[in-house]
Amino acid sequence: MSNKKIAIYPGSFDPLTNGHVDVIERALEIFDEVIVAVLHNPSKKSLFSSAERVEMIKQSMNGLTPVKVDTFDGLLVEYARMKKATAVIRGMRAISDFENEFQMALMNRKLNKDIQSVFLMTGLRWIFTSSSIIKEAAQFGGDISDMVPEPVHLKLMEKFPKLNS
Ligand code: PNS
């Protein structure tokens, strides 16, 4: 039996930001493999399709082998169990993240006590970074090039022509 420590890093990733990348890098210090799991939820409005989000993450990870990218739907803990993961990673920025994360972690523990929630603090530089604030700025042509990996920046420029000007 393999002793590989696998963690799931779930999220919407609409799109991936440098804050997410920072969390992935930190998770790799602890786990042998990190599966970045994009929530596939067609009823939730998103800028990018789940296939586009997966592709952007793969390109941004540049073939980094301990990182796998996948989509999931349904219960996160079910997906984690199927992947033989022992932990779920979530990034923490500010106190405002806490309440929702706490609630989610306790629900996940109730559903499967064998899967631990691990919270990683993002680097200070990314404390104010979120996918939604980046989309908001990009939509109106705001320069967000230092907040997302290059493949994401290129896709945002395709979606928002104002970013090119
Ligand atoms: O990036 P997000 O939108 O904050 O990620 C939220 C996500 C995908 C981690 C969360 O919505 C989730 O786990 N959804 C799957 C459904 C589930 O398992 N819900 C029960 C736990 S509350």
Side-chain angles (χ1 to χ4, degrees):
M1 200 180 129
S2 162
N3 285 329
K4 203 157 76 162
K5 285 270 175 214
I6 303 172
I8 306 291
Y9 181 31
S12 303
F13 302 107
D14 186 39
L16 181 80
T17 70
N18 284 345
H20 294 131
V21 174
D22 179 277
V23 170
I24 295 169
E25 285 167 351
R26 288 171 200 280
L28 287 173
E29 302 271 330
I30 311 173
F31 294 95
D32 301 311
E33 184 177 301
V34 173
I35 303 175
V36 182
V38 176
L39 177 70
H40 177 68
N41 180 358
S43 60
K44 193 174 163 188
K45 205 176 168 301
S46 59
L47 176 64
F48 295 102
S49 70
S50 48
E52 284 178 309
R53 284 178 266 160
V54 165
E55 194 47 41
M56 279 186 280
I57 300 169
K58 281 187 178 162
Q59 288 173 1
S60 305
M61 289 298 114
N62 225 350
L64 196 62
T65 44
V67 178
K68 304 273 181 291
V69 190
D70 195 8
T71 56
F72 80 105
D73 54 20
L75 275 185
L76 173 62
V77 288
E78 259 315 292
Y79 174 77
R81 194 186 56 80
M82 204 177 76
K83 291 288 170 184
K84 298 186 169 32
T86 50
V88 164
I89 304 286
R90 294 288 286 169
M92 276 278 193
R93 290 161 302 187
I95 296 285
S96 51
D97 283 340
F98 183 78
E99 199 168 331
N100 185 39
E101 294 299 332
F102 186 63
Q103 224 178 12
M104 246 176 9
L106 290 179
M107 176 55 91
N108 285 336
R109 183 187 287 168
K110 178 199 176 321
L111 298 172
N112 186 332
K113 65 177 177 27
D114 298 327
I115 293 170
Q116 304 303 327
S117 293
V118 175
F119 297 99
L120 295 174
M121 307 300 295
T122 48
L124 265 185
R125 200 174 158 205
W126 312 117
I127 286 283
F128 296 106
T129 305
S130 74
S131 300
S132 26
I133 205 86
I134 284 172
K135 282 183 285 190
E136 167 103 25
Q139 181 182 359
F140 299 111
D143 179 13
I144 42 73
S145 55
D146 58 349
M147 299 174 90
V148 292
E150 184 58 17
V152 175
H153 188 222
L154 292 173
K155 285 294 271 187
L156 282 169
M157 286 198 290
E158 276 176 28
K159 293 269 181 198
F160 301 126
K162 275 194 178 170
L163 260 192
N164 297 299
S165 52

